[in-house]
Amino acid sequence: MGWFFKSFRSSIGKKISVAMTGFFLISFLIVHAGVNALIFYNDQGETFNKAAHFMGSNPIIRTIEILLVIGILLHIIQSLLLWRSNRAARSIGYAMVKPTPEVTWYSKSMTLLGTLILLFLIVHTSNFWIPNRTHQFLHGKELPLYLMMLQKFSNPIEVIIYLLGIFSLFWHLLHGFASAFQSLGINHRKYNSLIRYSGGIFAFIICLTLAMMPISIFLKWIK
C-alpha cells in the first residue's frame, strides 16, 4: 500500500484527487440546486419540505453526507498542497513577467476563489445544515428549513453573502470543470472546446439556480 500513498502525495496524484473529488462535489451541487429549485413551486414550501425531509432522513443520503464532508476536506487539502508545491517550484522569480492572454484571471485565482467558497460554506452551513442536524440529533426531528430560508434571506446582508459565494463558485467551476478533465487525461483537441462549453453552461445553470433562490425570497416572489 506504500506505493499508493506515495503516488497520492505526488503532484500527479494530487491533481487526480482534486479532479475526482471535484466531480464528486459537482454531483452534490446538482442535487443541492435541484432540491433548492423546488421552492419555485411557490406552494408555501410544501414540496421543498418533503424533499428536504427525504434528504435529511434517508440513511443512504446521510451516509453520503459523511463522504461529502470527507470529499470537501480532501479537495481543500490536496488543492492547497498542490498550490504550495507549484509555488515552491516557481520560487525563482522572473525579472519581467509577460502577460499570457490565453490564461484567464480566474484560472490563476483558483486558490483565492476556493478560499472564498470555503468561507461561504462555513457561513451557509452554520445557518442551515449544522443547526438542522444538531436539532435532529438532540430532538429527533428537523427544523422548519423553508421558514428558516424565508427568515435568513429577508436580510440583505445574508443575501449579499450568499450571492458573493455563488459568484465565486461560478468562476471556480468555469475553470475547474475543464481542468478536472485535463487532470484525468480525458481531453483531446477535438473535444476540448466542447468540454469548456459544457462546463460554462453547467456553471451558469447551477449558479443561476442557486442565486435566484435568495433573490426570489428577498424580493418576495416566493412567500
Side-chain angles (χ1 to χ4, degrees), residues 4-221:
F4 174 79
F5 290 105
K6 185 176 180 180
S7 62
F8 191 72
R9 293 194 300 267
S10 68
S11 178
I12 295 177
K14 291 186 183 75
K15 288 182 179 180
I16 291 175
S17 63
V18 168
M20 293 298 293
T21 53
F23 280 129
F24 178 56
L25 298 178
I26 281 175
S27 67
F28 159 74
L29 279 175
I30 295 172
V31 175
H32 188 59
V35 172
N36 282 357
L38 295 177
I39 69 166
F40 298 118
Y41 274 102
N42 209 4
D43 56 358
Q44 287 77 51
E46 182 179 350
T47 304
F48 171 82
N49 284 334
K50 288 180 181 178
H53 174 71
F54 172 79
M55 298 295 289
S57 58
N58 187 286
I60 297 177
I61 301 297
R62 296 295 295 275
T63 303
I64 294 176
E65 277 187 356
I66 299 173
L67 297 177
L68 176 64
V69 173
I70 295 173
I72 290 173
L73 293 175
L74 184 59
H75 190 77
I76 293 170
I77 292 170
Q78 290 291 74
S79 296
L80 289 175
L81 290 175
L82 188 60
W83 170 78
R84 188 178 68 174
S85 61
N86 289 341
R87 188 176 182 182
R90 297 192 299 266
S91 58
I92 302 176
Y94 293 96
M96 181 174 61
V97 179
K98 295 182 179 180
T100 51
E102 69 278 4
V103 179
T104 59
W105 69 269
Y106 50 87
S107 67
K108 295 186 293 185
S109 307
M110 289 294 281
T111 303
L112 173 61
L113 292 170
T115 302
L116 293 175
I117 294 170
L118 175 61
L119 294 174
F120 161 69
L121 281 175
I122 292 173
V123 174
H124 187 55
T125 55
S126 298
N127 281 342
F128 297 102
W129 186 76
I130 293 175
N132 190 44
R133 290 295 178 265
T134 302
H135 195 269
Q136 278 183 293
F137 178 76
L138 295 176
H139 304 287
K141 59 180 181 180
E142 301 164 66
L143 291 170
L145 287 176
Y146 184 75
L147 294 178
M148 290 172 65
M149 288 167 60
L150 294 181
Q151 180 184 13
K152 289 291 183 182
F153 294 132
S154 64
N155 184 340
I157 295 177
E158 293 283 356
V159 174
I160 290 172
I161 291 174
Y162 194 92
L163 292 179
L164 287 175
I166 299 304
F167 178 81
S168 301
L169 176 64
F170 172 77
W171 296 108
H172 194 76
L173 283 173
L174 199 60
H175 174 72
F177 188 90
S179 179
F181 279 91
Q182 183 176 357
S183 296
L184 295 175
I186 314 174
N187 65 317
H188 191 279
R189 58 193 180 94
K190 289 184 178 180
Y191 313 117
N192 287 343
S193 296
L194 178 61
I195 291 172
R196 287 194 297 269
Y197 182 72
S198 301
I201 293 176
F202 172 80
F204 178 78
I205 292 175
I206 290 294
C207 293
L208 179 63
T209 302
L210 293 174
M212 286 305 297
M213 179 189 67
I215 292 173
S216 298
I217 292 174
F218 182 74
L219 295 178
K220 301 191 183 304
W221 296 340

